[in-house]
Amino acid sequence: MDDATIEAAQRGDRRAQAQLLHALQDPWFRFCLSLVRNVEDAKDATQEAALRFLKALPSFRGQSKLQTFAMGIALNVVREKRRERDAQTDAAALRLSEARTEHESSKEEAELLRQSVDQLPDRQREAVILRFFEQMSVEETAAAMKCAEGTVKASVHQALKALKGKLSHLM
Amino acid sequence: MSKLRKHLDKSRREYQQAKYPGDLADELLRPAIKLSQWIAPIGLIAVAALVVVALNLHHATPTINEKTNPPYVMDMTQSPITTQPTEQLAVSTGGVPDFSTSDTSDMSFAPSGYTFSVSVPSFSLAEDDSSTQPSATTQATKETI
């Protein structure tokens, strides 16, 4: 994603915008998928993030990487969807979550880790995914999460501590 | 490297294999791209149509004198194409005298310089051979006999 393409996309060049969307669609999708754990919801979130990204693109001033800017938008979308989902949470969803926990012992280690990450509080989960899966720096993660770098460090520390506790029998 | 870090790395590799099922740019930008592709041709056609209408109006309005010339009506029907060659008649005018049409007040039936007389041959059914002039051939035949 070179500067010329970004500037052209900011001016409304459709081909440049398409190039940016091609570059961002997979990072967006896997990030959303890791947070919502449902392909259709992740696809919806990706599309919503892309639309908001195109709308917000002219306001991008280059203080951060474009990918960080884009991930921040996707994170906002996921948070909104999560709030909607949480408002609709019922006993069935709770039962499904309990069932997943019961089957942990029969899963692969990676799957166990994924499930453990899923069970982290939202902030910690976001920080772990951005830091370790998207391999963003603390600064970039903080920019995407719109919080202080100290908050990111604390969230990651608490998340790793929780994961170690959950996976202690594997280590 | 701790075991947890190894597990995180393994999970990251799996995480990065996820691909968006489709083409985001195609899904979101295609309608706009298609519309923009049509704008230029439609604009050109519209401008061309306006120019044709303007030219027609310009040529039709000021030059027509309604009293002497009927308004020009463009015949849009095409004459059928004939596949057979039309038969042409050759008319020779060599033997026709020249008629002067400068003064037609005293034009007579016969052109000037010609005397026009009509002689009506008389026919009789009588058996008088002397009244009829024999032709050269019949005369020759009689002499031979």
Side-chain angles (χ1 to χ4, degrees):
Chain A
M1 288 183 282
D2 57 306
D3 290 346
T5 306
I6 294 169
E7 285 170 13
Q10 285 180 310
R11 289 193 303 269
D13 185 326
R14 293 280 177 181
R15 293 187 190 282
Q17 290 175 351
Q19 281 183 28
L20 294 186
L21 294 188
H22 274 299
L24 289 168
Q25 65 176 17
D26 291 339
W28 266 332
F29 177 70
R30 61 192 180 217
F31 179 61
C32 294
L33 184 62
S34 67
L35 292 174
V36 301
R37 307 307 311 174
N38 176 295
V39 172
E40 284 306 311
D41 288 348
K43 197 175 171 185
D44 287 348
T46 303
Q47 290 174 347
E48 179 65 26
L51 288 172
R52 290 191 195 182
F53 170 79
L54 291 175
K55 199 175 174 183
L57 192 56
S59 69
F60 176 68
R61 293 286 171 262
Q63 293 101 337
S64 59
K65 281 185 185 173
L66 188 71
Q67 182 143 353
T68 308
F69 176 74
M71 285 301 178
I73 290 171
L75 182 57
N76 279 343
V77 172
V78 169
R79 282 174 176 172
E80 284 176 22
K81 286 193 173 292
R82 205 158 46 200
R83 275 197 291 272
E84 290 170 13
R85 187 199 61 196
D86 289 348
Q88 297 168 351
T89 300
D90 53 13
L94 188 62
R95 281 198 296 274
L96 180 64
S97 174
E98 287 167 354
R100 286 164 71 182
T101 308
E102 285 169 10
H103 284 88
E104 272 182 8
S105 57
S106 62
K107 300 283 183 183
E108 295 287 329
E109 290 175 3
E111 180 65 12
L112 271 175
L113 178 66
R114 188 188 63 75
Q115 287 189 359
S116 300
V117 170
D118 283 354
Q119 290 167 2
L120 290 171
D122 291 340
R123 284 262 170 183
Q124 292 179 22
R125 186 151 50 110
E126 291 165 8
V128 165
I129 289 168
L130 289 172
R131 279 285 287 126
F132 297 109
F133 293 177
E134 285 295 332
Q135 295 183 297
M136 285 184 172
S137 66
V138 172
E139 186 185 356
E140 289 168 347
T141 306
M145 291 177 69
K146 294 183 177 61
C147 64
E149 291 180 26
T151 309
V152 172
K153 287 176 184 171
S155 297
V156 169
H157 176 75
Q158 288 164 359
L160 292 178
K161 194 175 171 184
L163 289 174
K164 275 179 187 170
K166 284 181 181 291
L167 303 173
S168 56
H169 63 285
L170 295 174
M171 298 176 186
Chain B
M1 186 184 283
S2 69
K3 282 192 175 180
L4 178 60
R5 186 58 67 110
K6 283 180 184 172
H7 286 303
L8 282 171
D9 284 343
K10 190 178 176 186
S11 292
R12 178 174 52 79
R13 285 192 292 274
E14 290 177 0
Y15 165 88
Q16 288 182 337
Q17 286 173 356
K19 302 280 181 197
Y20 180 77
D23 187 335
L24 197 54
D26 199 43
E27 291 164 9
L28 299 182
L29 299 176
R30 180 186 277 249
I33 288 173
K34 280 208 158 183
L35 185 63
S36 67
Q37 283 172 342
W38 281 103
I39 284 174
I42 288 173
L44 281 175
I45 291 168
V47 168
L50 280 173
V51 167
V52 168
V53 170
L55 284 175
N56 275 340
L57 288 174
H58 178 71
H59 283 296
T61 314
T63 55
I64 288 178
N65 185 349
E66 292 285 338
K67 289 179 181 174
T68 56
N69 299 322
Y72 177 73
V73 179
M74 185 182 285
D75 185 11
M76 298 299 289
T77 58
Q78 284 188 328
S79 58
I81 298 168
T82 54
T83 53
Q84 295 176 346
T86 52
E87 190 177 327
Q88 294 188 348
L89 296 174
V91 178
S92 171
T93 57
V96 178
D98 184 26
F99 289 91
S100 171
T101 55
S102 58
D103 185 11
T104 56
S105 59
D106 61 341
M107 181 181 278
S108 62
F109 182 74
S112 61
Y114 282 80
T115 53
F116 187 77
S117 63
V118 177
S119 61
V120 179
S122 62
F123 297 95
S124 68
L125 297 175
E127 292 186 2
D128 185 5
D129 288 337
S130 61
S131 63
T132 60
Q133 284 194 343
S135 64
T137 49
T138 49
Q139 188 119 15
T141 315
K142 281 180 182 176
E143 284 173 5
T144 327
I145 294 169

